Amino acid sequence: MEILLLNEIVIIFGLSIAILFICHRLRVPAIVGFLLTGILAGPHGLGLVKAVHEVEILAEVGVVLLLFTIGIEFSLERLLQIKKSVLMGGSLQVLLTFLATLFIARRFGQAFGEAILIGFLVALSSTAIVLKLLQERAEVDSPHGRITLGILIFQDIIIVPMILVTPLLAGATGNLGESVLLLLAKGIGIILLVFVSAKWIVPRVLYQIARTQSQQLFVLSTVVICLAFAWLTSKAGLSLALGAFLAGLIISESEYSHQAL
């Protein structure tokens, strides 16, 4: 029986090997090679990949696991130390980039609503790509790495009100105030859950699992914690990557973080 997705994986991995080898010889970062692979293999390139939706799902899982490992290497205490970077650095970056893009778009004749949408898009970055570059250079815990992480976390949060505002740009009507209050309640609930899980729930659960001395049970439990928090943040309207990063932070607070990683 032919498995279509297996064909796509072989094509993507095979093409990645060739492109990454070239990038290595040219001293270009590996993440650039992966991006080029996606462009060439995708429907807008050579059209080698047909099961685009299935590949996108696998890519989401990869992003979740990447942010989970970065969260484990970080810690909740160090995250609290960069709260100024999250609030001040993140808000300044998003606001200034948004205003500059809005001004340029208006100068090129874009309608006001379209210019706002373009500003939203340009103000955001790819958390997975930026953190992957920092991880490859072992700079996640450096001063500029922490500031970058703070800005990325702010972007993952600010994207939610952007999504709420976007339908209004097209003239749609709705109860925006109720949506904002519901989202705020969900956000507070997730923050409380993270602190309670990091201090009491997860360390005790991992302790009981570690006592069984079953590697399979420990790995399975770790993966479930990762995916569960990614699912929770997704249901709350936030990104999967943010949930996976928070799950990593929670496990980093336990004495079993090294084993989990």
Side-chain angles (χ1 to χ4, degrees), residues 96-173:
L96 294 177
T97 307
F98 168 75
L99 291 176
T101 306
L102 176 66
F103 175 76
I104 294 171
R106 289 291 289 164
R107 295 287 293 179
F108 277 89
Q110 295 289 339
F112 188 69
E114 294 175 354
I116 290 177
L117 180 60
I118 295 171
F120 285 169
L121 295 174
V122 175
L124 301 174
S125 311
S126 171
T127 302
I129 291 176
V130 177
L131 288 184
K132 180 63 177 175
L133 285 170
L134 291 174
Q135 188 186 45
E136 287 179 351
R137 299 175 181 178
E139 296 176 350
V140 174
D141 201 26
S142 64
H144 63 275
R146 293 184 183 187
I147 294 172
T148 302
L149 177 61
I151 292 173
L152 291 170
I153 291 173
F154 183 86
Q155 289 181 359
D156 281 338
I157 296 171
I158 201 66
I159 193 173
V160 179
M162 287 181 178
I163 293 173
L164 293 175
V165 170
T166 299
L168 301 180
L169 300 177
T173 57

Side-chain angles (χ1 to χ4, degrees), residues 214-249:
S214 170
Q215 183 181 2
Q216 291 81 6
L217 182 59
F218 186 84
V219 171
L220 186 60
S221 302
T222 304
V223 173
V224 166
I225 292 171
C226 167
L227 297 181
F229 271 88
W231 176 78
L232 277 174
T233 54
S234 176
K235 296 298 286 185
L238 300 170
S239 68
L240 288 168
L242 180 60
F245 177 74
L246 292 175
L249 287 178

